[in-house]
C-alpha cells in the first residue's frame, strides 16, 4: 500500500477545492464511513500481526495528516468566503440593527393606565362593551329616544346591517352604553369605569372620528352630587399632578343624567406654554350628573332604593392638556418620529 501516494492524491484534491461544500464532498470520500482511509483501515484485518502493527500506525498518522489538511483548508476557505462577501455585499444583514427608534408607550396608552390606576385606587373596577353597538344601548336605553334632538349632538356612524329591532348597528358614539350593559348584568352597588374607543363623524385639530372616553358609574343607596364632585376633583389632582387645581362645574343637559353638569379646568398660557390649574381660561373635560331614574328603570334597578352618579371624560382631551399637545390627529398619524418625541419609555412609569 503506497501511503505517500494516497497522501499526495488527497493533498492535490483538497488544494483544488474552491468551496466549503466541495471540500466536504472530498472529506467524505476520504474519511467518511465508506471513504478511502476508512476502507484501508478495514483491510488491516487481513494482514499478519506484524504488518497490522506497522501499517496500522502509518494509516493512523495518514488519517491525522489528511484530517489536518482538511481543517486548514476549511479555515482558509471560510476566510476567503467572508472576504468575498464583505467585498460584494454592501448590505450586511447579520449586522445588529442600530438603535435609532427605541420602543415607546403611546401617550393615550399611558393615560389609560393612569386612569385605571387612579380610579382603581378609589375602588372602581373596569367594565367593557363592544365598539359596535345597537341603537338601543347607545341611545334609547340612555333616554335618548328617536327624533330626540340629542341624537343630533352626536354625528353617528351607522353600520350597513340591522339588529333584532331592525335598527342599524352604530359605532358607539360614547362609552355610556356600558352603563346599561353593566346595570343589566350586575346588581347594585355598582362601581365601574369603562375606558374605550368611541366614534363620531367629525375631524379637525380637536376632533377625531375615533377618540377615547372613560365612563364612570357609581350606584348605591346614598351616593350624591357632592361625592361626584369630590371624586372628579380628586381624579384631576392625581392625573394632572396639581394640588391646587382651579375647577368649576357648569350646569348642563344630558338625557341620561338629572341634574347634569360639565366640568372645566382653569388654565393660562405662560411663556407660550399651557399652565394648568390657575388663570382665567377654562377647558371642558367631561360631562357628568346624577343618573336619570328613567335610565335606572330601563335597567330594572329599583329607584326607591338606588341612586348614583355617572360621568364621561374625553381621554384624548386630558392627554393633550397634560402634555401640551395641540393636534388630536397626531395621536393617530402612525408617525414614528412623533412617537419617539412624545411617547414614554417603559422606565418613565
Ligand atoms: N356620553 C356623554 C358624551 O359623550 C358624556 C357624559 C355626560 C357621560 C354625562 C356621562 C354623563 O356618564 O353622566 O357626550
Amino acid at each position: 500500500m503506497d501511503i505517500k501516494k494516497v497522501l499526495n492524491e488527497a493533498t492535490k484534491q483538497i488544494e483544488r477545492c474552491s468551496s466549503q461544500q466541495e471540500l466536504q464532498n472530498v472529506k467524505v470520500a476520504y474519511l467518511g464511513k465508506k471513504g478511502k482511509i476508512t476502507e484501508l483501515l478495514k483491510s488491516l484485518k487481513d494482514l499478519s500481526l506484524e504488518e497490522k502493527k506497522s501499517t496500522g500506525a502509518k494509516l493512523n498518522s495518514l488519517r491525522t495528516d489528511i484530517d489536518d489538511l482538511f481543517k486548514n483548508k476549511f479555515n482558509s476557505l471560510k476566510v476567503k468566503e467572508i472576504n468575498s462577501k464583505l467585498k460584494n455585499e454592501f448590505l450586511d444583514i447579520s449586522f445588529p440593527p442600530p438603535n435609532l427608534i427605541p420602543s415607546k408607550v403611546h401617550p393615550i396608552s399611558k393615560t389609560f393606565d393612569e386612569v385605571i390606576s387612579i380610579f382603581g385606587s378609589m375602588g372602581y373596577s373596569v367594565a367593557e362593551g363592544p365598539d359596535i353597538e345597537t341603537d338601543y344601548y347607545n341611545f334609547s336605553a340612555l333616554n335618548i329616544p328617536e327624533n330626540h334632538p340629542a341624537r343630533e349632538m352626536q354625528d353617528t356612524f351607522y353600520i350597513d346591517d340591522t339588529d333584532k329591532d331592525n335598527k342599524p348597528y352604530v359605532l358607539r358614539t360614547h362609552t355610556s352604553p356600558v352603563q346599561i350593559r353593566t346595570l343589566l348584568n350586575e346588581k347594585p352597588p355598582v362601581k365601574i369605569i369603562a375606558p374605550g374607543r368611541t366614534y363620531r363623524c367629525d375631524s379637525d385639530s380637536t376632533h377625531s372620528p375615533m377618540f377615547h372616553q372613560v365612563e364612570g358609574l357609581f350606584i348605591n343607596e346614598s351616593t350624591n352630587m357632592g361625592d361626584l364632585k369630590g371624586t372628579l376633583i380628586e381624579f384631576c389632582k392625581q392625573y394632572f399632578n396639581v394640588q391646587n387645581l382651579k375647577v368649576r362645574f357648569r350646569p348642563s343637559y344630558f338625557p341620561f343624567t338629572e341634574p347634569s353638569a360639565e366640568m372645566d379646568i382653569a388654565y393660562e398660557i405662560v411663556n407660550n406654554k399651557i399652565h394648568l390649574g390657575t388663570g382665567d381660561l377654562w377647558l371642558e373635560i367631561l360631562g357628568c350628573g346624577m343618573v336619570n331614574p328613567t335610565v335606572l328603570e330601563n335597567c330594572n334597578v329599583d329607584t326607591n332604593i338606588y341612586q348614583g352618579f355617572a360621568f364621561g371624560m374625553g381621554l384624548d382631551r386630558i392627554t393633550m392638556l397634560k402634555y401640551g399637545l395641540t393636534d388630536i390627529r397626531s395621536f393617530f398619524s402612525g408617525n414614528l418620529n412623533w412617537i419617539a418625541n412624545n411617547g414614554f419609555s417603559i422606565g418613565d412609569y
Side-chain angles (χ1 to χ4, degrees):
M1 186 185 311
D2 192 343
I3 286 188
K4 239 196 171 136
K5 202 171 148 202
V6 178
L7 184 60
N8 278 341
E9 188 61 26
T11 311
K12 264 190 220 154
Q13 285 193 29
I14 291 171
E15 261 326 295
R16 248 184 263 138
C17 288
S18 59
S19 74
Q20 294 187 42
Q21 183 56 52
E22 231 179 292
L23 185 65
Q24 183 61 24
N25 294 342
V26 177
K27 189 174 176 182
V28 171
Y30 276 91
L31 300 176
K33 252 188 204 159
K34 288 188 178 154
K36 235 177 225 173
I37 307 292
T38 322
E39 292 295 322
L40 285 173
L41 283 165
K42 276 187 203 157
S43 69
L44 282 176
K45 67 178 190 314
D46 304 325
L47 300 180
S48 69
L49 197 61
E50 273 305 292
E51 283 173 318
K52 251 186 212 162
K53 267 193 189 164
S54 68
T55 315
K58 280 182 202 155
L59 278 179
N60 268 332
S61 84
L62 172 66
R63 187 170 59 177
T64 317
D65 289 347
I66 290 184
D67 201 37
D68 286 346
L69 286 173
F70 276 117
K71 277 185 190 143
N72 290 339
K73 182 68 179 179
F74 181 78
N75 284 337
S76 80
L77 279 177
K78 208 167 155 184
V79 171
K80 247 192 207 155
E81 279 177 31
I82 290 175
N83 281 338
S84 98
K85 265 192 186 165
L86 284 176
K87 217 165 144 189
N88 296 322
E89 293 178 7
F90 71 95
L91 189 66
D92 180 0
I93 57 165
S94 69
F95 203 72
N99 206 13
L100 287 181
I101 305 174
S103 49
K104 290 284 176 108
V105 176
H106 195 285
I108 299 280
S109 301
K110 189 164 193 294
T111 291
F112 260 68
D113 291 348
E114 289 178 352
V115 164
I116 292 170
S117 151
I118 296 169
F119 282 114
S121 74
M122 300 181 192
Y124 287 81
S125 52
V126 174
E128 281 180 319
D131 289 17
I132 297 175
E133 264 298 4
T134 61
D135 184 280
Y136 181 74
Y137 285 124
N138 194 79
F139 296 119
S140 304
L142 285 159
N143 197 30
I144 317 176
E146 235 157 302
N147 305 320
H148 191 287
R151 287 207 181 194
E152 276 147 42
M153 281 160 64
Q154 307 181 349
D155 291 312
T156 311
F157 284 116
Y158 288 93
I159 289 188
D160 201 8
D161 189 11
T162 49
D163 60 25
K164 64 175 177 22
D165 300 327
N166 224 9
K167 296 265 164 56
Y169 286 101
V170 300
L171 290 181
R172 66 176 180 191
T173 55
H174 50 181
T175 42
S176 302
V178 186
Q179 290 188 32
I180 306 297
R181 289 181 172 274
T182 309
L183 286 175
L184 285 173
N185 262 322
E186 287 173 32
K187 294 233 162 315
V190 162
K191 199 175 184 184
I192 56 110
I193 53 162
R197 291 188 173 140
T198 44
Y199 306 83
R200 284 182 208 176
C201 190
D202 211 350
S203 183
D204 58 37
S205 65
T206 55
H207 297 90
S208 155
M210 191 280 292
F211 57 107
H212 301 86
Q213 287 189 341
V214 62
E215 194 76 12
L217 177 70
F218 185 17
I219 303 290
N220 68 7
E221 295 178 17
S222 59
T223 307
N224 58 43
M225 198 77 188
D227 300 321
L228 169 62
K229 289 172 75 176
T231 301
L232 294 173
I233 290 170
E234 182 56 29
F235 167 80
C236 288
K237 281 184 181 171
Q238 290 196 35
Y239 176 75
F240 293 109
N241 220 348
V242 179
Q243 271 316 303
N244 296 316
L245 204 62
K246 196 167 133 192
V247 302
R248 73 177 179 193
F249 287 83
R250 261 182 305 108
S252 182
Y253 170 76
F254 299 102
F256 32 92
T257 41
E258 179 58 38
S260 305
E262 281 171 304
M263 181 181 177
D264 300 337
I265 297 189
Y267 73 98
E268 58 190 332
I269 307 283
V270 183
N271 296 334
N272 255 344
K273 271 194 166 168
I274 197 161
H275 190 272
L276 273 180
T278 51
D280 297 326
L281 302 166
W282 295 99
L283 253 161
E284 177 211 321
I285 61 158
L286 60 85
C288 62
M290 296 305 292
V291 177
N292 191 322
T294 308
V295 172
L296 295 176
E297 277 154 20
N298 288 341
C299 301
N300 312 314
V301 174
D302 187 344
T303 48
N304 291 317
I305 307 177
Y306 295 110
Q307 62 182 47
F309 64 70
F311 57 87
M313 183 162 35
L315 293 181
D316 314 270
R317 256 287 164 89
I318 61 167
T319 309
M320 288 165 75
L321 261 181
K322 182 166 175 176
Y323 302 111
L325 302 169
T326 50
D327 192 340
I328 192 173
R329 292 166 294 199
S330 58
F331 283 143
F332 314 118
S333 65
N335 183 331
L336 285 176
N337 283 330
W338 185 87
I339 190 79
N341 289 328
N342 295 284
F344 296 87
S345 304
I346 307 287
D348 293 349
Y349 268 61

